[in-house]
Amino acid sequence: MKQERLIFILFLIFLIISSALIFSGYYYYQVQKNNLKISTQNQIQSIAHLKVEEINIWRNERLNDAYFYYNNEIISNFIKQYLKNPEDKNLNELIYNSIIKSVLLYKTDFDKVFLFDKLGKQISSYPSKNEIFLLSKIKNDFLNALQTKQIQFSDFYREEYSSKAYIAIIVPILDMQNNKDVIGVLLLRIDPEKFLYPFIQTWPTEDKTAETLLIKKEGNEIVFLNELKFQKNTALNLRIPLDKTEVPAVQAALGYKGSMEGIDYRGNEVFAYIDKIPDSPWFIVAKINKSEAYSPLRESLTFLVLFIFTLIVSLFFILSFIWRRQTAIFYKIRYENEKEKAWLQKILTQSLNEIYIFNNKDYKFIYFNDTACNNIGYSSDELYNMTPVDIKPEFTMESFKALVQPLINKEKEKILFDTVHKRKDGTLYNVEVHLQYMDRGNNDFVFVAIINDITERKKMEEELKRSNTELEKFAYVTSHDLQEPLRMISNYIMLLEKRYKDKLDGDANDFINFAVEGVKRMQQLINDLLAYSRVGRADKKLEDVDMEEVLENAIFNLKMAINENKAKIKHDKLPVIKANKLLMTQVLQNLIGNAIKFRSKKTPVIYISAKLEKNNWVFLVQDNGIGIDPQYFERIFLIFQRLQREDYPGTGAGLAIVKRIIELHNGKIWIESEPGKGSTFYFTIPLISVK
């Protein structure tokens, strides 16, 4: 499973990093592509604006040229005179040389000049005097000039005899002396191939597919007005219907202005910018193929792909190396684990303790070591069909399930208990059972029991119990039998003191006092020894004991000492427990009495509380007395051990009696203290327990 997990993790790392690299490369490519797109669009926008501005300047310059002949009184008078006398050759020559011919001599942007009367009859032309101009091509513009008496810039038109495209400026000649009526028309023809077309086709950078288009709308079509870079004879010939909305030229005719992407007249994807020529029906479209605009990306894309591919391959080899190394470590650890497992298996099998493992469904054994087989006397086949209840005669299946339920509920980590095992031959032996509930993996829980044969320990315990019982009897008998002779000695010494105290010298009186004090101390020691021995002989019957009442009884018994020392007793709510009421009264009485006895200079304050921890009531008796050095924590619970012999009365049996009572209830007692900081005694009483 660990190996499969490692492969999965390494594959996931490879997948994540590779995906991140590919995504980063793709993102970088898209950013560069977008930057190129913006840069290209800005470039063609600038070029389009430049073209529009230059074309507009060029148009205005041509109109300014025409204005020289418009409202010119000299020219008007010449033409007026000529129209009155058209047969006058001198006047005819004068008009030809001074007006018509001079246009081309000084205004090189015009290629031909024609003079008409107001009815449209051609009067003259230059450079050829006899060349006829067909006004039908620009009829509307000609009539508009006559009607408005204003200069007209004609649209592009094609001459039939040359199939070339031209533009004309129509200049009405006005009678400056007679209400400015039109008396004639000067037509200035412009050949766009001289300046306009070359200017439109020029591009400031060396881009192969970049070009500028001049178009206009005509009906349901757009008409290209200039000759194109990649297609010949297109001026006024190439047309595209308006339903081809993907074509930027069509979008121009439909009123769109600005940057766009579309398909050009050759079917290529292009970036384009659309603008309108002011005061004209013309639109300009600057465009460049996308393939050329994105050409700088190709080289960087190749490098980027190779770079990312190299990184991914490197990552693959690095992770492969890690996988091989981890695999080697895995198999090495696995070998060591198998080796150690075999060694542990050998230890378990040959262990002197009986070891059983049984399942949590029908409780049948699924493992046992050799010691278990040998000690219990059953064969392996027999044990595999048995349960712990079959070798523990003290239990039924119901009681055994109740025993292990806290393990299943995870209320306890292990259970320790004593019982007996029954061998196949029927003999019994005492055992100590350590029982745990363990997960073998995948939530497969089993019970593990380690068995200690405690037959010898039980024998020793019985012997010790018998010895303690005899010792208790001896102490009780001895202390009881010593009372009578000691009482007699005490009586005679006190009688001696009463009769001869004032008749003997000072030393004799001191000797009598020492003897009296010694007898009193001996009497107290015998009483304490008798009380200590009685604890073990007390009634072991448990009853519900209200510790509130026990505390009240202890306080009543100590009322005189409490009043004399002005002691303050504080306590929390105390519980009802299973115990011996008389003995628990003695416990609290001894602990509170000690707190009063070993008081400091401050007023004694004693605090009693209890709390439930797991299966035990933990009681606390805290004081503000003189405290105890930690090195004496164990000594104070030994009988007749006193730390302050001169300053405080007593025999040192009180805490020993308390400890014996607590242990009789299967509890524990301990102390926390520092000199000068008071003492805190803790003791525990199980919920239900007694020896």
Side-chain angles (χ1 to χ4, degrees):
M1 288 297 293
K2 290 185 178 179
Q3 190 70 357
E4 293 175 359
R5 179 182 175 87
L6 174 63
I7 294 174
F8 174 76
I9 291 174
L10 292 178
F11 174 75
L12 192 61
I13 292 172
F14 177 78
L15 189 64
I16 291 172
I17 297 179
S18 298
S19 300
L21 288 173
I22 293 171
F23 176 78
S24 299
Y26 176 76
Y27 177 76
Y28 173 79
Y29 173 78
Q30 290 298 326
V31 169
Q32 294 301 313
K33 186 177 180 181
N34 189 59
N35 290 340
L36 272 176
K37 175 182 174 181
I38 294 172
S39 174
T40 301
Q41 289 176 333
N42 290 337
Q43 181 188 38
I44 61 177
Q45 178 181 346
S46 299
I47 292 172
H49 285 165
L50 177 64
K51 299 286 186 183
V52 169
E53 185 177 349
E54 289 295 328
I55 291 173
N56 194 45
I57 291 173
W58 175 82
R59 280 172 53 88
N60 290 332
E61 286 177 348
R62 301 294 72 76
L63 288 173
N64 288 334
D65 292 340
Y67 268 104
F68 175 78
Y69 304 97
Y70 179 68
N71 284 340
N72 190 312
E73 188 173 353
I74 296 173
I75 294 174
S76 175
N77 289 333
F78 276 140
I79 293 174
K80 186 177 179 181
Q81 291 176 16
Y82 171 77
L83 292 174
K84 288 180 179 181
N85 189 11
E87 301 298 330
D88 188 342
K89 292 183 179 180
N90 293 328
L91 189 58
N92 188 299
E93 284 295 322
L94 181 62
I95 292 173
Y96 179 78
N97 291 319
S98 300
I99 301 175
I100 299 175
K101 188 176 179 181
S102 66
V103 173
L104 298 187
L105 289 176
Y106 301 105
K107 308 296 180 181
T108 58
D109 292 282
F110 306 114
D111 74 324
K112 288 191 178 182
V113 180
F114 298 89
L115 181 62
F116 298 88
D117 63 16
K118 65 179 180 179
L119 298 176
K121 179 181 177 182
Q122 185 172 323
I123 298 172
S124 182
S125 65
Y126 183 83
S128 175
K129 289 185 177 182
N130 300 318
E131 183 175 349
I132 303 301
F133 185 90
L134 298 178
L135 284 176
S136 59
K137 299 294 183 180
I138 57 168
K139 181 179 179 182
N140 292 333
D141 294 320
F142 189 86
L143 293 175
N144 197 29
L146 294 176
Q147 291 174 1
T148 61
K149 301 178 183 181
Q150 297 292 326
I151 297 173
Q152 296 295 316
F153 208 120
S154 80
D155 203 349
F156 283 85
Y157 67 92
R158 182 178 298 281
E159 288 193 351
E160 293 181 359
Y161 65 90
S162 65
S163 298
K164 289 182 62 177
Y166 293 97
I167 308 170
I169 297 180
I170 304 162
V171 183
I173 305 299
L174 304 179
D175 184 355
M176 304 304 296
Q177 297 175 350
N178 189 18
N179 298 324
K180 292 187 178 182
D181 291 333
V182 177
I183 59 175
V185 174
L186 189 66
L187 191 146
L188 310 176
R189 194 179 77 172
I190 300 172
D191 186 354
E193 290 183 354
K194 285 186 176 182
F195 172 79
L196 188 59
Y197 286 172
F199 170 73
I200 291 174
Q201 289 297 345
T202 56
W203 197 268
T205 58
E206 295 182 0
D207 295 311
K208 295 179 180 179
T209 63
E211 65 176 325
T212 311
L213 313 175
L214 193 64
I215 63 105
K216 71 172 183 176
K217 180 182 178 184
E218 194 172 279
N220 293 325
E221 297 177 320
I222 58 130
V223 181
F224 288 82
L225 303 178
N226 64 317
E227 294 296 332
L228 303 181
K229 188 174 184 179
F230 300 102
Q231 194 169 329
K232 300 303 179 182
N233 196 27
T234 56
L236 299 176
N237 288 327
L238 182 60
R239 297 170 180 267
I240 297 178
L242 292 179
D243 58 0
K244 300 286 186 179
T245 54
E246 70 276 8
V247 178
V250 172
Q251 287 293 330
L254 294 175
Y256 180 79
K257 180 181 178 181
S259 298
M260 69 167 291
E261 299 175 41
I263 307 296
D264 71 354
Y265 61 91
R266 296 192 297 158
N268 296 325
E269 292 186 349
V270 295
F271 291 118
Y273 186 84
I274 301 167
D275 206 348
K276 190 176 187 307
I277 306 297
D279 302 321
S280 78
W282 305 339
F283 300 91
I284 197 162
V285 178
K287 71 174 186 67
I288 186 172
N289 285 9
K290 283 187 177 181
S291 57
E292 184 176 7
Y294 287 144
S295 60
L297 274 181
R298 296 192 192 104
E299 185 176 340
S300 60
L301 178 62
T302 303
F303 173 77
L304 183 64
V305 170
L306 289 175
F307 178 70
I308 292 175
F309 177 76
T310 302
L311 288 179
I312 291 175
V313 170
S314 301
L315 175 65
F316 174 78
F317 282 112
I318 291 171
L319 294 179
S320 297
F321 173 77
I322 294 173
W323 176 75
R324 287 195 297 270
R325 181 175 178 83
Q326 291 298 319
T327 300
I329 294 172
F330 169 77
Y331 282 114
K332 182 179 179 182
I333 294 173
R334 185 174 180 180
Y335 170 76
E336 296 293 337
N337 289 342
E338 291 294 334
K339 185 177 177 181
E340 186 172 352
K341 185 178 178 181
W343 179 69
L344 291 173
Q345 181 70 25
K346 184 177 179 181
I347 291 176
L348 291 175
T349 302
Q350 298 178 359
S351 173
L352 296 177
N353 296 98
E354 298 177 37
I355 299 175
Y356 298 91
I357 299 176
F358 53 96
N359 64 46
N360 62 353
K361 295 178 179 64
D362 56 10
Y363 293 82
K364 285 187 177 181
F365 294 120
I366 59 175
Y367 172 82
F368 36 80
N369 63 353
D370 293 345
T371 302
C373 286
N374 296 334
N375 208 16
I376 206 71
Y378 289 99
S379 67
S380 297
D381 292 338
E382 289 174 319
L383 279 174
Y384 279 128
N385 292 305
M386 297 173 66
T387 68
V389 175
D390 295 324
I391 61 174
K392 292 178 172 60
E394 293 182 346
F395 287 92
T396 63
M397 183 57 76
E398 288 72 20
S399 62
F400 188 75
K401 286 182 178 180
L403 174 71
V404 302
Q405 195 62 41
L407 293 176
I408 297 174
N409 296 339
K410 296 183 179 180
E411 296 172 3
K412 292 183 178 180
E413 293 183 357
K414 66 178 180 179
I415 295 176
L416 176 65
F417 63 96
D418 294 349
T419 185
V420 294
H421 273 189
K422 184 178 181 181
R423 296 187 177 93
K424 186 176 181 180
D425 61 10
T427 58
L428 302 176
Y429 61 99
N430 296 101
V431 294
E432 180 184 70
V433 181
H434 297 256
L435 188 60
Q436 288 182 280
Y437 194 51
M438 304 181 72
D439 186 3
R440 292 199 300 180
N442 297 323
N443 288 324
D444 181 15
F445 285 90
V446 295
F447 293 96
V448 179
I450 300 176
I451 312 299
N452 293 327
D453 188 339
I454 58 172
T455 302
E456 292 300 320
R457 193 184 80 185
K458 284 293 183 181
K459 290 180 180 179
M460 292 176 63
E461 287 178 354
E462 289 297 326
E463 181 65 24
L464 182 62
K465 184 177 180 181
R466 184 188 61 78
S467 176
N468 286 339
T469 302
E470 291 179 356
L471 184 61
E472 287 179 4
K473 289 181 179 179
F474 174 76
Y476 179 77
V477 171
T478 300
S479 59
H480 185 273
D481 291 347
L482 284 175
Q483 293 241 22
E484 188 59 32
L486 187 61
R487 190 181 296 110
M488 184 178 68
I489 293 171
S490 176
N491 289 337
Y492 278 109
I493 289 177
M494 286 189 289
L495 184 62
L496 184 64
E497 180 186 23
K498 182 177 179 181
R499 290 186 178 183
Y500 298 103
K501 183 176 182 180
D502 297 330
K503 298 179 181 180
L504 300 175
D505 59 13
D507 289 338
N509 288 332
D510 290 339
F511 295 153
I512 291 173
N513 289 333
F514 289 151
V516 170
E517 290 299 323
V519 168
K520 289 180 179 179
R521 177 166 174 74
M522 179 63 72
Q523 183 70 45
Q524 185 63 44
L525 285 171
I526 291 173
N527 289 337
D528 288 344
L529 181 61
L530 186 61
Y532 185 80
S533 65
R534 282 173 178 166
V535 171
R537 301 164 62 84
D539 185 6
K540 297 184 178 65
K541 183 179 179 182
L542 298 180
E543 59 181 337
D544 289 334
V545 176
D546 188 346
M547 291 301 289
E548 291 278 348
E549 294 182 7
V550 168
L551 179 60
E552 290 178 4
N553 293 338
I555 292 173
F556 180 81
N557 295 340
L558 295 168
K559 188 173 183 180
M560 184 178 293
I562 291 171
N563 292 337
E564 287 177 356
N565 293 279
K566 299 180 180 179
K568 297 180 180 179
I569 311 296
K570 300 179 179 179
H571 68 91
D572 294 336
K573 178 69 176 178
L574 299 181
V576 176
I577 63 173
K578 287 285 187 181
N580 183 298
K581 186 174 183 179
L582 183 61
L583 294 180
M584 294 312 297
T585 302
Q586 191 170 358
V587 167
L588 290 185
Q589 184 173 319
N590 283 5
L591 292 176
I592 295 171
N594 270 5
I596 296 173
K597 182 193 295 185
F598 298 103
R599 65 188 179 278
S600 63
K601 293 181 180 180
K602 296 183 287 187
T603 301
V605 178
I606 299 108
Y607 171 70
I608 302 100
S609 69
K611 62 179 178 179
L612 185 62
E613 290 186 359
K614 294 185 178 180
N615 295 320
N616 293 287
W617 282 105
V618 180
F619 288 85
L620 173 149
V621 179
Q622 187 178 64
D623 64 57
N624 62 343
I626 61 174
I628 302 171
D629 194 308
Q631 64 177 316
Y632 300 121
F633 282 178
E634 293 184 7
R635 180 179 169 186
I636 61 173
F637 291 108
L638 300 177
I639 192 169
F640 301 140
Q641 295 295 313
R642 301 175 61 209
L643 303 183
Q644 292 88 5
R645 292 182 177 274
E646 295 81 9
D647 299 332
Y648 299 94
T651 62
L655 289 178
I657 292 172
V658 170
K659 184 173 184 291
R660 188 164 176 79
I661 293 172
I662 298 302
E663 289 177 346
L664 184 67
H665 287 79
N666 271 353
K668 295 179 181 179
I669 186 169
W670 67 96
I671 182 176
E672 292 179 1
S673 180
E674 290 183 33
K677 295 185 178 181
S679 302
T680 303
F681 285 89
Y682 298 90
F683 64 89
T684 63
I685 301 295
L687 291 179
I688 301 177
S689 182
V690 69
K691 288 187 178 178

